Every structure is written in structure tokens, then in C-alpha cells.
Amino acid sequence: MSSYDATVPALLQILGSLTGILNKAEAHCSAKKIAPEVMLGARLYPDMLPFSKQVQLVSDFAAKGCARLTHSEVPSMPDTEKSFEELRQRLAKTIDHVKAFKPAQFEGAGTRDVTFPAGPDRTMTLKGQAYLNNFVFPNFYFHATTAYDILRHNGVEIGKRDFLGVN
């Protein structure tokens, strides 16, 4: 399997499903008379990041991960979203960004050195395959799952099929 085939479809599946989950969360807020900012700021635990930041990080790991694997320009995406609509727009931009990558750009990506930030004053370098499997995917799925969990914990009626985007 090519690096492109292992990366792009998996990222697009969850980015798409997260868009659908956002729609259900917004409808839930409307139906239950919950202020959207309450759901957007919801956390599983006080020291965890809020729902909106979880979505932003999913977006970051998808877009920046592809860029670094292909040695392309890493996009800058300020975290300014304050509504469901703004988060949907961010996901749409991320989906467009990921879709724009071509299989040829990923040729040799598994053995390329990828240098990336690993904290405020530190970088790491891994081979592309290790970067994808040990950094991009775990972080991408962690934040997607945490976003899902926050909504489910707050009563949004979503399930595994919503997370997988197979409804």
C-alpha cells in the first residue's frame, strides 16, 4: 500500500465524519436549548482541552501531517473558531487541503526524514512511516475520539457509526 493510500483516505474519513458530528451537536444544542458556546467549551475533565480545541487539533494533525510527510509548506491555521459554523468551515478547508495532495507527492514519504515540533522549544526527526504511525495517527485519532466523547458525555445522540462516518 502506498503512503498516500495509507494516509489520505483515513484522514478524510474522520474529517468528514467529524463534520457530521458537528451538525448533530449543533442540532442537539438547539433542541435542548443549550447555548452553543457551552458545548464548544465542554471538557471531559477540567485539565483537558475543550471540544473546540479538540476539533482544531484534528484539523492540524491532518493538514500539517500531510504537509510534513510530503515536504510541502505547512499551513498556518490560527485557532479562532468560536461557533459550530466556523469549525465546519475549518474542517472544510482541511478536507480541501488534504484532497489537494497527489499520490506522487507521497512517493518515498515512508523513508524521508520528517522534522516537526515536539513542544515549545523542541523538535524531533523521524522517518516518515514512524512519524505517521507513531505521531500523526495517534494524535489525530486521540483528538477525534476525545471530541466525540465530549459530545456523547453531554448527551448528543451519536454512536460508532457517526464516528466512522458510515451513517
Side-chain angles (χ1 to χ4, degrees), residues 3-53:
S3 293
Y4 175 90
D5 289 335
T7 305
V8 171
L11 297 175
L12 289 174
Q13 177 184 358
I14 299 302
L15 290 167
S17 71
L18 195 51
T19 301
I21 287 170
L22 281 174
N23 293 336
K24 288 191 173 190
E26 187 173 36
H28 176 82
C29 287
S30 179
K32 301 292 184 183
K33 309 278 190 265
I34 299 168
E37 57 273 10
V38 170
M39 192 68 75
L40 294 168
R43 303 166 187 255
L44 287 177
Y45 195 76
D47 69 351
M48 292 181 74
L49 297 170
F51 174 77
S52 59
K53 184 65 176 175

mmCIF file of all heavy atoms in Angstrom, residues 3-53:
data_model
loop_
_atom_site.group_PDB
_atom_site.id
_atom_site.type_symbol
_atom_site.label_atom_id
_atom_site.label_comp_id
_atom_site.label_asym_id
_atom_site.label_seq_id
_atom_site.Cartn_x
_atom_site.Cartn_y
_atom_site.Cartn_z
ATOM 1 N N SER A 3 2.041 5.208 0.623
ATOM 2 C CA SER A 3 1.882 6.137 1.750
ATOM 3 C C SER A 3 0.637 7.003 1.566
ATOM 4 O O SER A 3 -0.065 7.302 2.532
ATOM 5 C CB SER A 3 3.121 7.023 1.894
ATOM 6 O OG SER A 3 4.233 6.262 2.280
ATOM 7 N N TYR A 4 0.370 7.399 0.331
ATOM 8 C CA TYR A 4 -0.833 8.180 0.044
ATOM 9 C C TYR A 4 -2.082 7.387 0.433
ATOM 10 O O TYR A 4 -2.958 7.902 1.135
ATOM 11 C CB TYR A 4 -0.878 8.543 -1.446
ATOM 12 C CG TYR A 4 -2.150 9.252 -1.854
ATOM 13 C CD1 TYR A 4 -2.240 10.632 -1.810
ATOM 14 C CD2 TYR A 4 -3.267 8.532 -2.289
ATOM 15 C CE1 TYR A 4 -3.405 11.297 -2.178
ATOM 16 C CE2 TYR A 4 -4.432 9.188 -2.663
ATOM 17 C CZ TYR A 4 -4.504 10.562 -2.601
ATOM 18 O OH TYR A 4 -5.657 11.203 -2.963
ATOM 19 N N ASP A 5 -2.168 6.140 -0.028
ATOM 20 C CA ASP A 5 -3.342 5.313 0.240
ATOM 21 C C ASP A 5 -3.510 5.001 1.726
ATOM 22 O O ASP A 5 -4.629 4.811 2.194
ATOM 23 C CB ASP A 5 -3.272 4.006 -0.552
ATOM 24 C CG ASP A 5 -3.472 4.216 -2.043
ATOM 25 O OD1 ASP A 5 -4.111 5.207 -2.430
ATOM 26 O OD2 ASP A 5 -2.974 3.375 -2.822
ATOM 27 N N ALA A 6 -2.413 4.965 2.448
ATOM 28 C CA ALA A 6 -2.478 4.698 3.882
ATOM 29 C C ALA A 6 -2.851 5.945 4.680
ATOM 30 O O ALA A 6 -3.308 5.830 5.819
ATOM 31 C CB ALA A 6 -1.132 4.167 4.377
ATOM 32 N N THR A 7 -2.692 7.106 4.090
ATOM 33 C CA THR A 7 -2.852 8.360 4.828
ATOM 34 C C THR A 7 -4.116 9.124 4.459
ATOM 35 O O THR A 7 -4.991 9.341 5.304
ATOM 36 C CB THR A 7 -1.618 9.270 4.590
ATOM 37 O OG1 THR A 7 -0.434 8.553 4.931
ATOM 38 C CG2 THR A 7 -1.713 10.537 5.413
ATOM 39 N N VAL A 8 -4.210 9.543 3.222
ATOM 40 C CA VAL A 8 -5.249 10.483 2.810
ATOM 41 C C VAL A 8 -6.664 9.943 3.022
ATOM 42 O O VAL A 8 -7.492 10.624 3.643
ATOM 43 C CB VAL A 8 -5.003 10.975 1.366
ATOM 44 C CG1 VAL A 8 -6.181 11.778 0.843
ATOM 45 C CG2 VAL A 8 -3.720 11.810 1.319
ATOM 46 N N PRO A 9 -7.006 8.735 2.570
ATOM 47 C CA PRO A 9 -8.380 8.264 2.791
ATOM 48 C C PRO A 9 -8.757 8.153 4.273
ATOM 49 O O PRO A 9 -9.882 8.482 4.650
ATOM 50 C CB PRO A 9 -8.407 6.896 2.114
ATOM 51 C CG PRO A 9 -7.325 6.958 1.085
ATOM 52 C CD PRO A 9 -6.247 7.805 1.712
ATOM 53 N N ALA A 10 -7.818 7.718 5.113
ATOM 54 C CA ALA A 10 -8.110 7.590 6.551
ATOM 55 C C ALA A 10 -8.396 8.951 7.173
ATOM 56 O O ALA A 10 -9.343 9.105 7.959
ATOM 57 C CB ALA A 10 -6.938 6.909 7.263
ATOM 58 N N LEU A 11 -7.587 9.942 6.822
ATOM 59 C CA LEU A 11 -7.807 11.290 7.362
ATOM 60 C C LEU A 11 -9.123 11.869 6.871
ATOM 61 O O LEU A 11 -9.892 12.441 7.653
ATOM 62 C CB LEU A 11 -6.642 12.208 6.975
ATOM 63 C CG LEU A 11 -5.264 11.839 7.524
ATOM 64 C CD1 LEU A 11 -4.196 12.764 6.943
ATOM 65 C CD2 LEU A 11 -5.236 11.851 9.038
ATOM 66 N N LEU A 12 -9.405 11.702 5.577
ATOM 67 C CA LEU A 12 -10.634 12.257 5.018
ATOM 68 C C LEU A 12 -11.880 11.608 5.623
ATOM 69 O O LEU A 12 -12.893 12.289 5.829
ATOM 70 C CB LEU A 12 -10.646 12.097 3.494
ATOM 71 C CG LEU A 12 -9.657 12.989 2.747
ATOM 72 C CD1 LEU A 12 -9.662 12.645 1.265
ATOM 73 C CD2 LEU A 12 -9.952 14.462 2.964
ATOM 74 N N GLN A 13 -11.817 10.319 5.921
ATOM 75 C CA GLN A 13 -12.970 9.644 6.524
ATOM 76 C C GLN A 13 -13.362 10.300 7.842
ATOM 77 O O GLN A 13 -14.531 10.629 8.061
ATOM 78 C CB GLN A 13 -12.667 8.163 6.749
ATOM 79 C CG GLN A 13 -13.806 7.433 7.452
ATOM 80 C CD GLN A 13 -13.469 5.983 7.773
ATOM 81 O OE1 GLN A 13 -12.401 5.482 7.444
ATOM 82 N NE2 GLN A 13 -14.393 5.312 8.427
ATOM 83 N N ILE A 14 -12.396 10.511 8.711
ATOM 84 C CA ILE A 14 -12.699 11.058 10.036
ATOM 85 C C ILE A 14 -12.995 12.549 9.963
ATOM 86 O O ILE A 14 -13.877 13.045 10.683
ATOM 87 C CB ILE A 14 -11.556 10.750 11.026
ATOM 88 C CG1 ILE A 14 -11.392 9.229 11.181
ATOM 89 C CG2 ILE A 14 -11.795 11.425 12.377
ATOM 90 C CD1 ILE A 14 -12.632 8.475 11.666
ATOM 91 N N LEU A 15 -12.310 13.280 9.086
ATOM 92 C CA LEU A 15 -12.641 14.703 8.926
ATOM 93 C C LEU A 15 -14.092 14.857 8.465
ATOM 94 O O LEU A 15 -14.814 15.729 8.945
ATOM 95 C CB LEU A 15 -11.695 15.363 7.925
ATOM 96 C CG LEU A 15 -10.252 15.546 8.388
ATOM 97 C CD1 LEU A 15 -9.352 15.900 7.200
ATOM 98 C CD2 LEU A 15 -10.160 16.605 9.479
ATOM 99 N N GLY A 16 -14.526 13.998 7.563
ATOM 100 C CA GLY A 16 -15.916 14.031 7.100
ATOM 101 C C GLY A 16 -16.898 13.644 8.184
ATOM 102 O O GLY A 16 -17.946 14.275 8.352
ATOM 103 N N SER A 17 -16.555 12.606 8.932
ATOM 104 C CA SER A 17 -17.475 12.178 9.994
ATOM 105 C C SER A 17 -17.561 13.233 11.087
ATOM 106 O O SER A 17 -18.633 13.460 11.658
ATOM 107 C CB SER A 17 -17.065 10.825 10.567
ATOM 108 O OG SER A 17 -15.885 10.917 11.341
ATOM 109 N N LEU A 18 -16.454 13.901 11.362
ATOM 110 C CA LEU A 18 -16.472 14.948 12.382
ATOM 111 C C LEU A 18 -17.368 16.110 11.951
ATOM 112 O O LEU A 18 -18.050 16.714 12.780
ATOM 113 C CB LEU A 18 -15.047 15.423 12.663
ATOM 114 C CG LEU A 18 -14.804 16.250 13.910
ATOM 115 C CD1 LEU A 18 -15.394 15.598 15.159
ATOM 116 C CD2 LEU A 18 -13.318 16.486 14.097
ATOM 117 N N THR A 19 -17.416 16.382 10.666
ATOM 118 C CA THR A 19 -18.327 17.405 10.156
ATOM 119 C C THR A 19 -19.772 17.013 10.448
ATOM 120 O O THR A 19 -20.571 17.832 10.911
ATOM 121 C CB THR A 19 -18.106 17.604 8.640
ATOM 122 O OG1 THR A 19 -16.740 17.992 8.426
ATOM 123 C CG2 THR A 19 -19.042 18.661 8.075
ATOM 124 N N GLY A 20 -20.128 15.756 10.208
ATOM 125 C CA GLY A 20 -21.474 15.278 10.516
ATOM 126 C C GLY A 20 -21.780 15.322 12.002
ATOM 127 O O GLY A 20 -22.897 15.665 12.412
ATOM 128 N N ILE A 21 -20.796 15.003 12.815
ATOM 129 C CA ILE A 21 -20.967 15.037 14.266
ATOM 130 C C ILE A 21 -21.203 16.472 14.745
ATOM 131 O O ILE A 21 -22.019 16.715 15.638
ATOM 132 C CB ILE A 21 -19.756 14.370 14.960
ATOM 133 C CG1 ILE A 21 -19.832 12.846 14.760
ATOM 134 C CG2 ILE A 21 -19.688 14.729 16.428
ATOM 135 C CD1 ILE A 21 -18.583 12.107 15.195
ATOM 136 N N LEU A 22 -20.493 17.430 14.135
ATOM 137 C CA LEU A 22 -20.728 18.844 14.478
ATOM 138 C C LEU A 22 -22.170 19.238 14.196
ATOM 139 O O LEU A 22 -22.794 19.951 14.990
ATOM 140 C CB LEU A 22 -19.796 19.753 13.668
ATOM 141 C CG LEU A 22 -18.367 19.885 14.134
ATOM 142 C CD1 LEU A 22 -17.566 20.706 13.123
ATOM 143 C CD2 LEU A 22 -18.292 20.524 15.494
ATOM 144 N N ASN A 23 -22.711 18.764 13.079
ATOM 145 C CA ASN A 23 -24.106 19.068 12.739
ATOM 146 C C ASN A 23 -25.056 18.522 13.796
ATOM 147 O O ASN A 23 -25.997 19.201 14.207
ATOM 148 C CB ASN A 23 -24.459 18.498 11.367
ATOM 149 C CG ASN A 23 -23.704 19.179 10.243
ATOM 150 O OD1 ASN A 23 -23.255 20.312 10.366
ATOM 151 N ND2 ASN A 23 -23.546 18.473 9.135
ATOM 152 N N LYS A 24 -24.805 17.293 14.240
ATOM 153 C CA LYS A 24 -25.657 16.700 15.267
ATOM 154 C C LYS A 24 -25.516 17.432 16.601
ATOM 155 O O LYS A 24 -26.496 17.593 17.330
ATOM 156 C CB LYS A 24 -25.352 15.211 15.425
ATOM 157 C CG LYS A 24 -25.859 14.384 14.258
ATOM 158 C CD LYS A 24 -25.779 12.914 14.543
ATOM 159 C CE LYS A 24 -26.475 12.145 13.407
ATOM 160 N NZ LYS A 24 -26.631 10.733 13.730
ATOM 161 N N ALA A 25 -24.316 17.875 16.923
ATOM 162 C CA ALA A 25 -24.104 18.607 18.171
ATOM 163 C C ALA A 25 -24.838 19.946 18.149
ATOM 164 O O ALA A 25 -25.479 20.326 19.137
ATOM 165 C CB ALA A 25 -22.612 18.837 18.392
ATOM 166 N N GLU A 26 -24.786 20.625 17.017
ATOM 167 C CA GLU A 26 -25.486 21.901 16.907
ATOM 168 C C GLU A 26 -27.002 21.699 16.999
ATOM 169 O O GLU A 26 -27.694 22.464 17.685
ATOM 170 C CB GLU A 26 -25.118 22.597 15.594
ATOM 171 C CG GLU A 26 -25.684 23.990 15.487
ATOM 172 C CD GLU A 26 -25.188 24.725 14.268
ATOM 173 O OE1 GLU A 26 -25.005 24.099 13.200
ATOM 174 O OE2 GLU A 26 -24.995 25.948 14.375
ATOM 175 N N ALA A 27 -27.516 20.665 16.348
ATOM 176 C CA ALA A 27 -28.953 20.366 16.421
ATOM 177 C C ALA A 27 -29.352 20.012 17.856
ATOM 178 O O ALA A 27 -30.421 20.417 18.324
ATOM 179 C CB ALA A 27 -29.305 19.227 15.472
ATOM 180 N N HIS A 28 -28.494 19.275 18.552
ATOM 181 C CA HIS A 28 -28.752 18.921 19.954
ATOM 182 C C HIS A 28 -28.845 20.181 20.813
ATOM 183 O O HIS A 28 -29.762 20.313 21.639
ATOM 184 C CB HIS A 28 -27.635 17.996 20.461
ATOM 185 C CG HIS A 28 -27.752 17.646 21.903
ATOM 186 N ND1 HIS A 28 -28.583 16.648 22.361
ATOM 187 C CD2 HIS A 28 -27.138 18.160 23.001
ATOM 188 C CE1 HIS A 28 -28.476 16.563 23.679
ATOM 189 N NE2 HIS A 28 -27.607 17.470 24.084
ATOM 190 N N CYS A 29 -27.921 21.094 20.614
ATOM 191 C CA CYS A 29 -27.934 22.351 21.376
ATOM 192 C C CYS A 29 -29.233 23.115 21.115
ATOM 193 O O CYS A 29 -29.851 23.622 22.049
ATOM 194 C CB CYS A 29 -26.730 23.222 21.009
ATOM 195 S SG CYS A 29 -25.174 22.623 21.673
ATOM 196 N N SER A 30 -29.643 23.166 19.873
ATOM 197 C CA SER A 30 -30.871 23.875 19.514
ATOM 198 C C SER A 30 -32.091 23.212 20.150
ATOM 199 O O SER A 30 -32.928 23.877 20.751
ATOM 200 C CB SER A 30 -31.007 23.912 17.997
ATOM 201 O OG SER A 30 -32.182 24.575 17.625
ATOM 202 N N ALA A 31 -32.172 21.888 20.044
ATOM 203 C CA ALA A 31 -33.326 21.153 20.568
ATOM 204 C C ALA A 31 -33.416 21.222 22.093
ATOM 205 O O ALA A 31 -34.511 21.284 22.650
ATOM 206 C CB ALA A 31 -33.271 19.693 20.119
ATOM 207 N N LYS A 32 -32.290 21.213 22.761
ATOM 208 C CA LYS A 32 -32.259 21.194 24.230
ATOM 209 C C LYS A 32 -32.062 22.583 24.835
ATOM 210 O O LYS A 32 -31.907 22.709 26.049
ATOM 211 C CB LYS A 32 -31.139 20.268 24.718
ATOM 212 C CG LYS A 32 -31.261 18.837 24.248
ATOM 213 C CD LYS A 32 -32.430 18.140 24.873
ATOM 214 C CE LYS A 32 -32.462 16.679 24.451
ATOM 215 N NZ LYS A 32 -33.595 15.965 24.961
ATOM 216 N N LYS A 33 -32.053 23.611 23.974
ATOM 217 C CA LYS A 33 -31.888 24.999 24.438
ATOM 218 C C LYS A 33 -30.574 25.180 25.207
ATOM 219 O O LYS A 33 -30.513 25.844 26.250
ATOM 220 C CB LYS A 33 -33.066 25.441 25.316
ATOM 221 C CG LYS A 33 -34.436 25.195 24.696
ATOM 222 C CD LYS A 33 -34.812 26.293 23.735
ATOM 223 C CE LYS A 33 -36.247 26.200 23.292
ATOM 224 N NZ LYS A 33 -36.454 25.501 22.048
ATOM 225 N N ILE A 34 -29.509 24.588 24.670
ATOM 226 C CA ILE A 34 -28.171 24.722 25.245
ATOM 227 C C ILE A 34 -27.426 25.764 24.420
ATOM 228 O O ILE A 34 -27.383 25.666 23.189
ATOM 229 C CB ILE A 34 -27.412 23.377 25.207
ATOM 230 C CG1 ILE A 34 -28.155 22.320 26.032
ATOM 231 C CG2 ILE A 34 -25.976 23.535 25.689
ATOM 232 C CD1 ILE A 34 -27.637 20.906 25.824
ATOM 233 N N ALA A 35 -26.844 26.738 25.066
ATOM 234 C CA ALA A 35 -26.063 27.745 24.342
ATOM 235 C C ALA A 35 -24.892 27.049 23.646
ATOM 236 O O ALA A 35 -24.170 26.273 24.289
ATOM 237 C CB ALA A 35 -25.556 28.810 25.309
ATOM 238 N N PRO A 36 -24.690 27.283 22.355
ATOM 239 C CA PRO A 36 -23.609 26.596 21.628
ATOM 240 C C PRO A 36 -22.240 26.748 22.283
ATOM 241 O O PRO A 36 -21.455 25.794 22.303
ATOM 242 C CB PRO A 36 -23.637 27.259 20.242
ATOM 243 C CG PRO A 36 -25.033 27.733 20.085
ATOM 244 C CD PRO A 36 -25.478 28.137 21.464
ATOM 245 N N GLU A 37 -21.970 27.925 22.852
ATOM 246 C CA GLU A 37 -20.656 28.127 23.462
ATOM 247 C C GLU A 37 -20.425 27.204 24.660
ATOM 248 O O GLU A 37 -19.286 26.896 25.004
ATOM 249 C CB GLU A 37 -20.420 29.600 23.836
ATOM 250 C CG GLU A 37 -21.432 30.213 24.754
ATOM 251 C CD GLU A 37 -22.656 30.816 24.034
ATOM 252 O OE1 GLU A 37 -22.842 30.613 22.818
ATOM 253 O OE2 GLU A 37 -23.439 31.473 24.727
ATOM 254 N N VAL A 38 -21.508 26.744 25.280
ATOM 255 C CA VAL A 38 -21.373 25.790 26.390
ATOM 256 C C VAL A 38 -20.827 24.466 25.850
ATOM 257 O O VAL A 38 -19.889 23.902 26.404
ATOM 258 C CB VAL A 38 -22.717 25.590 27.130
ATOM 259 C CG1 VAL A 38 -22.641 24.440 28.120
ATOM 260 C CG2 VAL A 38 -23.134 26.879 27.818
ATOM 261 N N MET A 39 -21.398 23.978 24.759
ATOM 262 C CA MET A 39 -20.930 22.716 24.172
ATOM 263 C C MET A 39 -19.528 22.883 23.595
ATOM 264 O O MET A 39 -18.681 22.010 23.754
ATOM 265 C CB MET A 39 -21.898 22.245 23.083
ATOM 266 C CG MET A 39 -21.656 20.823 22.629
ATOM 267 S SD MET A 39 -22.031 19.566 23.879
ATOM 268 C CE MET A 39 -23.820 19.573 23.833
ATOM 269 N N LEU A 40 -19.275 23.997 22.930
ATOM 270 C CA LEU A 40 -17.962 24.226 22.333
ATOM 271 C C LEU A 40 -16.866 24.299 23.393
ATOM 272 O O LEU A 40 -15.715 23.949 23.130
ATOM 273 C CB LEU A 40 -17.979 25.501 21.495
ATOM 274 C CG LEU A 40 -18.878 25.453 20.261
ATOM 275 C CD1 LEU A 40 -19.054 26.836 19.670
ATOM 276 C CD2 LEU A 40 -18.341 24.483 19.232
ATOM 277 N N GLY A 41 -17.220 24.735 24.587
ATOM 278 C CA GLY A 41 -16.249 24.838 25.681
ATOM 279 C C GLY A 41 -16.236 23.636 26.606
ATOM 280 O O GLY A 41 -15.466 23.616 27.572
ATOM 281 N N ALA A 42 -17.072 22.634 26.320
ATOM 282 C CA ALA A 42 -17.162 21.467 27.203
ATOM 283 C C ALA A 42 -15.863 20.672 27.197
ATOM 284 O O ALA A 42 -15.170 20.569 26.187
ATOM 285 C CB ALA A 42 -18.333 20.581 26.778
ATOM 286 N N ARG A 43 -15.567 20.094 28.362
ATOM 287 C CA ARG A 43 -14.364 19.278 28.563
ATOM 288 C C ARG A 43 -14.771 17.991 29.270
ATOM 289 O O ARG A 43 -15.776 17.972 29.967
ATOM 290 C CB ARG A 43 -13.361 20.003 29.460
ATOM 291 C CG ARG A 43 -12.938 21.354 28.962
ATOM 292 C CD ARG A 43 -12.208 22.152 30.059
ATOM 293 N NE ARG A 43 -11.953 23.505 29.646
ATOM 294 C CZ ARG A 43 -10.763 23.964 29.271
ATOM 295 N NH1 ARG A 43 -9.724 23.163 29.300
ATOM 296 N NH2 ARG A 43 -10.619 25.207 28.890
ATOM 297 N N LEU A 44 -13.965 16.967 29.136
ATOM 298 C CA LEU A 44 -14.214 15.745 29.899
ATOM 299 C C LEU A 44 -13.733 15.889 31.336
ATOM 300 O O LEU A 44 -14.270 15.257 32.239
ATOM 301 C CB LEU A 44 -13.523 14.540 29.252
ATOM 302 C CG LEU A 44 -14.153 14.037 27.966
ATOM 303 C CD1 LEU A 44 -13.333 12.892 27.393
ATOM 304 C CD2 LEU A 44 -15.593 13.598 28.192
ATOM 305 N N TYR A 45 -12.724 16.712 31.530
ATOM 306 C CA TYR A 45 -12.156 16.935 32.853
ATOM 307 C C TYR A 45 -11.538 18.330 32.840
ATOM 308 O O TYR A 45 -11.079 18.784 31.787
ATOM 309 C CB TYR A 45 -11.101 15.857 33.172
ATOM 310 C CG TYR A 45 -10.737 15.789 34.625
ATOM 311 C CD1 TYR A 45 -11.586 15.193 35.544
ATOM 312 C CD2 TYR A 45 -9.548 16.342 35.082
ATOM 313 C CE1 TYR A 45 -11.251 15.140 36.887
ATOM 314 C CE2 TYR A 45 -9.211 16.293 36.424
ATOM 315 C CZ TYR A 45 -10.071 15.689 37.325
ATOM 316 O OH TYR A 45 -9.760 15.643 38.661
ATOM 317 N N PRO A 46 -11.529 19.039 33.957
ATOM 318 C CA PRO A 46 -11.075 20.434 33.953
ATOM 319 C C PRO A 46 -9.700 20.674 33.335
ATOM 320 O O PRO A 46 -9.467 21.726 32.747
ATOM 321 C CB PRO A 46 -11.090 20.819 35.433
ATOM 322 C CG PRO A 46 -12.164 19.961 36.021
ATOM 323 C CD PRO A 46 -12.050 18.641 35.272
ATOM 324 N N ASP A 47 -8.770 19.718 33.455
ATOM 325 C CA ASP A 47 -7.433 19.960 32.908
ATOM 326 C C ASP A 47 -7.282 19.504 31.453
ATOM 327 O O ASP A 47 -6.192 19.551 30.892
ATOM 328 C CB ASP A 47 -6.350 19.323 33.780
ATOM 329 C CG ASP A 47 -6.354 17.803 33.759
ATOM 330 O OD1 ASP A 47 -7.302 17.191 33.197
ATOM 331 O OD2 ASP A 47 -5.411 17.210 34.305
ATOM 332 N N MET A 48 -8.383 19.103 30.824
ATOM 333 C CA MET A 48 -8.347 18.698 29.416
ATOM 334 C C MET A 48 -8.784 19.861 28.536
ATOM 335 O O MET A 48 -9.458 20.778 28.986
ATOM 336 C CB MET A 48 -9.243 17.489 29.186
ATOM 337 C CG MET A 48 -8.718 16.223 29.858
ATOM 338 S SD MET A 48 -9.773 14.796 29.558
ATOM 339 C CE MET A 48 -9.367 14.450 27.850
ATOM 340 N N LEU A 49 -8.412 19.787 27.270
ATOM 341 C CA LEU A 49 -8.789 20.835 26.316
ATOM 342 C C LEU A 49 -10.274 20.747 25.978
ATOM 343 O O LEU A 49 -10.850 19.658 25.967
ATOM 344 C CB LEU A 49 -7.953 20.701 25.041
ATOM 345 C CG LEU A 49 -6.446 20.905 25.236
ATOM 346 C CD1 LEU A 49 -5.691 20.524 23.977
ATOM 347 C CD2 LEU A 49 -6.155 22.337 25.635
ATOM 348 N N PRO A 50 -10.893 21.884 25.643
ATOM 349 C CA PRO A 50 -12.321 21.894 25.323
ATOM 350 C C PRO A 50 -12.602 21.295 23.940
ATOM 351 O O PRO A 50 -11.697 21.144 23.112
ATOM 352 C CB PRO A 50 -12.692 23.374 25.356
ATOM 353 C CG PRO A 50 -11.423 24.073 25.016
ATOM 354 C CD PRO A 50 -10.320 23.230 25.622
ATOM 355 N N PHE A 51 -13.867 21.033 23.705
ATOM 356 C CA PHE A 51 -14.321 20.450 22.445
ATOM 357 C C PHE A 51 -13.779 21.204 21.237
ATOM 358 O O PHE A 51 -13.243 20.595 20.302
ATOM 359 C CB PHE A 51 -15.855 20.410 22.405
ATOM 360 C CG PHE A 51 -16.390 19.969 21.083
ATOM 361 C CD1 PHE A 51 -16.371 18.632 20.728
ATOM 362 C CD2 PHE A 51 -16.883 20.896 20.177
ATOM 363 C CE1 PHE A 51 -16.840 18.217 19.482
ATOM 364 C CE2 PHE A 51 -17.358 20.492 18.941
ATOM 365 C CZ PHE A 51 -17.334 19.147 18.590
ATOM 366 N N SER A 52 -13.911 22.525 21.215
ATOM 367 C CA SER A 52 -13.475 23.289 20.036
ATOM 368 C C SER A 52 -11.984 23.075 19.759
ATOM 369 O O SER A 52 -11.582 22.932 18.599
ATOM 370 C CB SER A 52 -13.777 24.775 20.198
ATOM 371 O OG SER A 52 -13.130 25.299 21.333
ATOM 372 N N LYS A 53 -11.169 23.024 20.786
ATOM 373 C CA LYS A 53 -9.722 22.806 20.601
ATOM 374 C C LYS A 53 -9.453 21.389 20.094
ATOM 375 O O LYS A 53 -8.527 21.186 19.298
ATOM 376 C CB LYS A 53 -8.972 23.079 21.912
ATOM 377 C CG LYS A 53 -7.480 22.975 21.771
ATOM 378 C CD LYS A 53 -6.912 24.048 20.859
ATOM 379 C CE LYS A 53 -5.391 23.970 20.830
ATOM 380 N NZ LYS A 53 -4.807 24.905 19.868
#
